[in-house]
Each structure stands twice: as C-alpha cells, then as structure tokens.
Amino acid sequence: MKTIKYIFAGILFGIIMTKAEVISWYRIQEMFRFQSFHMYGIIGSAVALGMLATFLIKKLRLRSIQGQPIAFNDKKKSIPRYLIGGVLFGLGWAMTGACPGPLYVLIGHGFGVILVVLASALLGTYVYGLFRNKLPH
C-alpha cells in the first residue's frame, strides 16, 4: 500500500511523456539533426526548473520529508569524466532513439524490442560498477 503513490506517479509520468511526444523516435531524431526545437525546449525547461528548485532549496534552507537538511555536494571538475560519459550516453540515445526515462514508457506501450535496450543499459551499468575503481574519475 505504501508504494501505490509511486505507481501512480509512474503512470502520470508515462502519460506526460507520451503526450509531450518525448518518447517519439522521430522527435529525438529531429533533435539530433537540429531540425526541431521541440526536444530542446523540453530539456531546457527541465534544466531551468531544476535550477530554480535548487536555488529555492538553498535559499529557503528547505528540509526533506524526514526533517533532514538538504545538502548539495560539489562535484569534481573533470573534463574526461563528463566528456566520455556524455558521449557514450548521447551515442546510446541517438542509436536507440530513447534515453533511460522513456524506456519504461515505451515498454509499457508494447514495444518489446526496447527490452533489449533496457537489458543493455542495465548490463552497461553493471559492468561500470565492476570496473569503477579502475576508471579515471
């Protein structure tokens, strides 16, 4: 019963992703070919909302639901780390036509072939976990 709110949030997320055409392979290809502003507008809106939320959390010193202070830790500035990770993420996104969030929505829509993409993403994450200590960070 405690997880029902998460199930409804997931369903709502899927409906929003579908209606906004974020799961559309054609929209994603338009973005990578610089033919449409649609996806850039959605991504830009998400970045702006995240910046606003972070600013408000810091400014108002908001606390979590459990009453703990919300802390933001600085990230290490490492060009290879973000460049290599970003290129791999972007290549996977461009080749499959879906980033991690819409994978579940596409599976819910009945596109069974996306299960291969999801399995590959999970395998890649697992392999990264195995070699994490040996990679430059």
Side-chain angles (χ1 to χ4, degrees), residues 5 13 29 31 54 60 88 97-98 111 124:
K5 60 185 171 188
F13 179 69
Q29 289 303 310
M31 176 187 66
T54 302
L60 301 174
L88 288 173
F111 295 102

Side-chain angles (χ1 to χ4, degrees), residues 28-29 32 85-100 103 117:
I28 293 167
Q29 289 303 310
F32 282 111
V87 166
L88 288 173
F89 182 85
L91 283 172
W93 193 7
M95 289 189 319
T96 62
C99 66
L103 289 181
V117 177

Side-chain angles (χ1 to χ4, degrees), residues 77-134:
K77 291 182 172 56
S78 167
I79 292 174
R81 175 184 191 172
Y82 296 110
L83 185 64
I84 294 167
V87 166
L88 288 173
F89 182 85
L91 283 172
W93 193 7
M95 289 189 319
T96 62
C99 66
L103 289 181
Y104 300 101
V105 180
L106 288 165
I107 291 168
H109 274 276
F111 295 102
V113 71
I114 299 297
L115 287 168
V116 175
V117 177
L118 179 62
S120 299
L122 293 173
L123 178 64
T125 304
Y126 178 74
V127 170
Y128 169 76
L130 290 176
F131 293 103
R132 183 171 187 258
N133 294 335
K134 295 174 179 73

Side-chain angles (χ1 to χ4, degrees), residues 53-96:
T54 302
F55 171 77
L56 291 174
I57 290 169
K58 288 180 176 181
K59 185 76 172 169
L60 301 174
R61 295 190 174 128
L62 297 178
R63 296 180 170 271
S64 69
I65 294 173
Q66 292 83 18
Q68 302 289 340
I70 299 172
F72 293 93
N73 299 325
D74 291 334
K75 299 277 187 185
K76 291 182 183 177
K77 291 182 172 56
S78 167
I79 292 174
R81 175 184 191 172
Y82 296 110
L83 185 64
I84 294 167
V87 166
L88 288 173
F89 182 85
L91 283 172
W93 193 7
M95 289 189 319
T96 62

